Amino acid sequence: MKPLNYACRLSVLSLSLAAIFSAQAQNSIETIEVKGERQAYRGEFVHLETPESIFEFDADLIENTGLTDLTDVLDMSASVSRQNSLGGLWDSYAIRGFFGDENVPSGYLVNGFNAGRGFSGPRDVSGIERVEVLKGPKAALYGRGEPGGSINLVTKKATFEDASSVQLTAGNRAHRRFEADINTVISDDVAGRFIGFYQEEDSFRDTIETQKQGLMASLVFEQSERSRISYDLEYAEQEIPFDRGIIAIGGNFDFMPIERFLGEPGDGPTTTSVLGHQLQWTYDLNDTWELSSAVAYRQTELDSISSDAEIAPQFQKFYLDGQTLARQHRERRYDTDQYVVRFEVAGEFETGSITHNIIAGIDYDRFEYDRAYLVARGAPLATNPSDQDMYAINVHNPVYGQVTAGKRLPAIVRQQNQWATGIYIQNQIELTDALQVRLGGRFDSMTQTLDDKVRNFETDQSETRFSPQLGVVYQVASNWSVYSTYGEGYRLNFGADVKGNTFDPNETDSLEFGSKWSLLDNNLDITLAYFDSEQKNIIVVDTVSGGQSAIGKASSTGYELDIAGQLPADIEVRFSYMYLDAQVEEDYVDTGIYAPIKKGDDLLNIPENSASLQVSQDYLISGNALTIGAGLQYVDERLGQRGADFYLPSYVTANLFANYDINDQWTVKAQVHNAFDRTHFTNSYTQFWVQPGEPRKVLLSTSYKF
């Protein structure tokens, strides 16, 4: 559907809502006085006032479930589906069926602005106060992004209360983790918080071990009653073996044990590191207006050597004998630097009886990406190669270190820089106590340079984009509202075609209709939404030149139901369900495995149905608090390889947890992940790269507060 048609439908809906309900507005709608916490780019609105869908996971839920990786937390939202994580080296996910460039990690927001790009490894959630799944088009405020939405991480801040804790966790497969959270009042107007972790464990996968450590720091300086300065530090290092998973040719998921590793332990672990800084200043101009500014710098590095199963048929002997797996030997050296600056003013004013809620600002984002990718490839089958020539391994009886790879040659060596300056404004207009209209837009000026060392050329690109957002909210009753929204977005595509020309930006547009309820004295929030999104300028193979071209298109249409809050009898619940129809909209050839894709084909790793349920209840045992909870996740079958009839099977997993406060200081916890030990597969790229999910995992921990 064209953007103009979207806008027309939205306008019709807005006018219809106003006409139908305006007669009731003055009598049946109560004015809401309580406002939520204002965030950068977000403003100050409660659940029923926003023409968008948001699903959140707070620190209590994350700690109760014992989840430590961001991807595991995002599994609790049915709107998020796992994508190719490059052998477990980074977080990769799609929201409402769409994801970004699959050759780089999925980006995320940190404390409301774009400061989460780079190769820092899977994100640990230590130091995270809240994970927000912001669904729908966000480019009108945030800038570049996907039509499905964005992930925002809200970090834990220092407070003016001395409160600290330490926690020790142990589990099967030699899991060991130590965490410390130290909050201290340094002076009357300065507080500090320091959160650190160290974790190591074996994997259910043969020969695999992981180790990670990190430190998050927060300093808060209360200059005055109106002025506040905060600083946040992010540091982490990880050692993660590169692991492409198992082989499941023809959909035979019992072909080999899920424990079998087909790489080379001698390659050593992949190392990732991140060092990030955020400095923010907020100033209350008066009771209704606030000025904020922020600057951030984030540096990441990834170094990896891996042995990957060859996926091209003309190089793969496994197709002939069903046991000899030809491999490539690959080396990756990725470095990124990101700089972000933002100035924003937010507040409200009135023109007669109409209230205007304004967010306006300017930001600057610079991303520098150095990429070196080297490959040693075996000999083609036409040359009748030996196992040594193919760098092969026997999948039924792997003997590591038996063959050696050839010399790795540069495949991609490039430096790519992106600069973007944006100006944005949003006005949510309260026309009546019941009817609000949101008008927003963002203008971006973008520049990209590319220095390709292998192809020996340099090029640059300049783009300007305007991203509009339109929305309407009508409050039918004090606890019920309906809304609709339309937005457009973009992101720059990496790389260049065979002539050295950069690609047109990836463009998206999205329409959404929804209804929200706040029940049980506003303790339970419910959101029901329908969305229809399109994405174009996806990078595909140019069948004329043999290079690449930005001509691919895809669509995503679906329904969501999110329920979060507290039921009677101290029962906490979070339920998320999504039905999704995500498909290719034009024939093209895939750039990864050069497979022909047909219009109507499913998108990779995207389930049609998915659901998640988390339930917990509080009790008092001998005067102390006991929390018992359980979680269920259902994921439908998903396409596991483009251009093939290869689908990952559906699965259901269950988690259990319990926390008991022995006294005011000591707490013991137990968690069981995948409690029924279900064999499942979370994502894949081809039938040679299938990622099995983790079997049953039992964790026991104790924490001490002081």
Side-chain angles (χ1 to χ4, degrees), residues 282-357:
T282 58
Y283 183 78
D284 294 331
L285 299 172
N286 52 41
D287 292 340
T288 58
W289 285 89
E290 179 184 85
L291 175 67
S292 67
S293 61
V295 58
Y297 169 70
R298 193 171 193 256
Q299 180 185 37
T300 72
E301 296 181 2
L302 182 149
D303 293 285
S304 171
I305 295 178
S306 65
S307 300
D308 301 8
E310 176 68 68
I311 59 177
Q314 64 270 30
F315 287 84
Q316 186 50 265
K317 189 176 180 180
F318 181 88
Y319 286 114
L320 301 180
D321 66 9
Q323 64 179 10
T324 306
L325 183 71
R327 299 177 299 178
Q328 295 183 16
H329 205 224
R330 299 180 175 184
E331 179 179 358
R332 300 169 180 84
R333 299 191 302 270
Y334 300 160
D335 299 282
T336 69
D337 292 273
Q338 184 181 16
Y339 309 82
V340 181
V341 180
R342 184 195 76 242
F343 297 93
E344 180 179 284
V345 62
E348 64 180 49
F349 67 91
E350 295 181 353
T351 55
S353 60
I354 297 176
T355 301
H356 302 262
N357 297 278

Side-chain angles (χ1 to χ4, degrees), residues 5-60:
N5 294 337
Y6 271 155
C8 290
R9 285 174 60 178
L10 181 66
S11 299
V12 170
L13 174 66
S14 303
L15 294 173
S16 299
L17 288 172
I20 293 172
F21 295 115
S22 59
Q24 305 174 17
Q26 300 300 322
N27 297 325
S28 61
I29 307 300
E30 298 177 4
T31 302
I32 296 177
E33 299 292 341
V34 179
K35 299 286 186 179
E37 178 186 359
R38 177 178 290 144
Q39 296 187 51
Y41 297 102
R42 296 276 296 280
E44 190 178 26
F45 301 98
V46 297
H47 170 66
L48 296 178
E49 295 179 330
T50 55
E52 59 190 347
S53 178
I54 300 174
F55 202 52
E56 299 181 354
F57 308 105
D58 59 24
D60 288 341

Side-chain angles (χ1 to χ4, degrees), residues 54-59 62 69-70 73-74 76-77 123 125 128-134 150-155 574:
I54 300 174
F55 202 52
E56 299 181 354
F57 308 105
D58 59 24
I62 295 172
D69 290 334
L70 175 61
V73 173
L74 294 177
M76 293 189 289
S77 171
R123 175 75 188 230
V125 294
I128 302 300
E129 181 65 36
R130 189 167 66 253
V131 176
E132 300 175 332
V133 183
L134 311 176
S150 303
I151 302 299
N152 182 39
L153 308 182
V154 180
T155 60
R574 275 178 175 80

Side-chain angles (χ1 to χ4, degrees), residues 33 105 109 113 154 188 224 229 249 325 354 368 465 487 502 513 554 585 675 683:
E33 299 292 341
L109 308 170
F113 66 105
V154 180
D188 290 342
S224 66
I229 297 175
I249 296 296
L325 183 71
I354 297 176
E368 300 175 353
R465 282 290 187 276
T502 53
F513 303 95
E585 287 298 321
N683 60 282

Side-chain angles (χ1 to χ4, degrees), residues 354-542:
I354 297 176
T355 301
H356 302 262
N357 297 278
I358 300 292
I359 304 171
I362 182 172
D363 56 26
Y364 170 81
D365 185 337
R366 175 170 176 166
F367 186 67
E368 300 175 353
Y369 175 20
D370 291 339
R371 181 183 183 187
Y373 173 53
L374 294 79
V375 178
R377 193 171 202 177
L381 295 177
T383 65
N384 193 27
S386 66
D387 288 358
Q388 172 66 50
D389 295 332
M390 293 183 296
Y391 187 50
I393 194 170
N394 188 300
V395 299
H396 299 299
N397 184 30
V399 179
Y400 305 118
Q402 189 175 39
V403 295
T404 56
K407 182 179 179 180
R408 295 185 295 273
L409 300 176
I412 300 174
V413 180
R414 67 170 60 138
Q415 180 177 6
Q416 193 146 356
N417 300 329
Q418 296 178 346
W419 297 266
T421 301
I423 300 174
Y424 58 92
I425 186 169
Q426 175 183 286
N427 184 8
Q428 183 152 330
I429 307 168
E430 300 179 18
L431 297 175
T432 69
D433 290 342
L435 182 63
Q436 300 188 36
V437 175
R438 176 178 289 186
L439 304 174
R442 179 185 173 97
F443 178 82
D444 279 287
S445 175
M446 302 168 288
T447 301
Q448 181 171 231
T449 63
L450 173 63
D451 182 2
D452 194 314
K453 308 294 185 183
V454 173
R455 296 161 64 187
N456 195 27
F457 73 85
E458 296 182 14
T459 188
D460 61 76
Q461 174 184 19
S462 295
E463 300 280 348
T464 57
R465 282 290 187 276
F466 178 73
S467 304
Q469 183 187 35
L470 306 173
V472 60
V473 182
Y474 185 82
Q475 197 164 336
V476 182
S478 61
N479 62 351
W480 176 26
S481 67
V482 293
Y483 72 91
S484 65
T485 187
Y486 168 78
E488 298 176 8
Y490 70 92
R491 62 172 167 80
L492 291 175
N493 280 312
F494 283 113
D497 62 20
V498 294
K499 297 180 179 179
N501 299 316
T502 53
F503 302 117
D504 290 337
N506 183 279
E507 297 179 355
T508 60
D509 51 69
S510 183
L511 177 68
E512 181 175 338
F513 303 95
S515 184
K516 298 182 177 184
W517 296 266
S518 286
L519 307 177
L520 303 177
D521 295 328
N522 297 324
N523 288 317
L524 188 71
D525 291 335
I526 301 174
T527 302
L528 177 65
Y530 164 81
F531 57 89
D532 188 353
S533 304
E534 289 186 346
Q535 186 177 45
K536 64 180 182 178
N537 296 343
I538 300 170
I539 303 298
V540 300
V541 172
D542 187 331

Side-chain angles (χ1 to χ4, degrees), residues 241-275:
F242 191 98
D243 182 12
R244 286 291 194 184
I246 68 165
I247 297 173
I249 296 296
N252 181 6
F253 293 93
D254 296 322
F255 175 75
M256 60 187 299
I258 64 171
E259 294 82 9
R260 185 161 297 160
F261 179 59
L262 299 176
E264 284 290 337
D267 289 337
T270 294
T271 60
T272 66
S273 65
V274 56
L275 180 62

Side-chain angles (χ1 to χ4, degrees), residues 633-669:
Q633 182 190 13
Y634 168 74
V635 179
D636 211 344
E637 65 175 12
R638 293 130 288 144
L639 182 68
Q641 178 179 315
R642 296 186 181 98
D645 186 23
F646 175 70
Y647 282 80
L648 303 181
S650 62
Y651 65 87
V652 177
T653 57
N655 300 327
L656 305 172
F657 65 86
N659 304 333
Y660 180 62
D661 293 334
I662 298 175
N663 52 41
D664 291 340
Q665 286 78 41
W666 288 97
T667 299
V668 292
K669 304 177 183 179

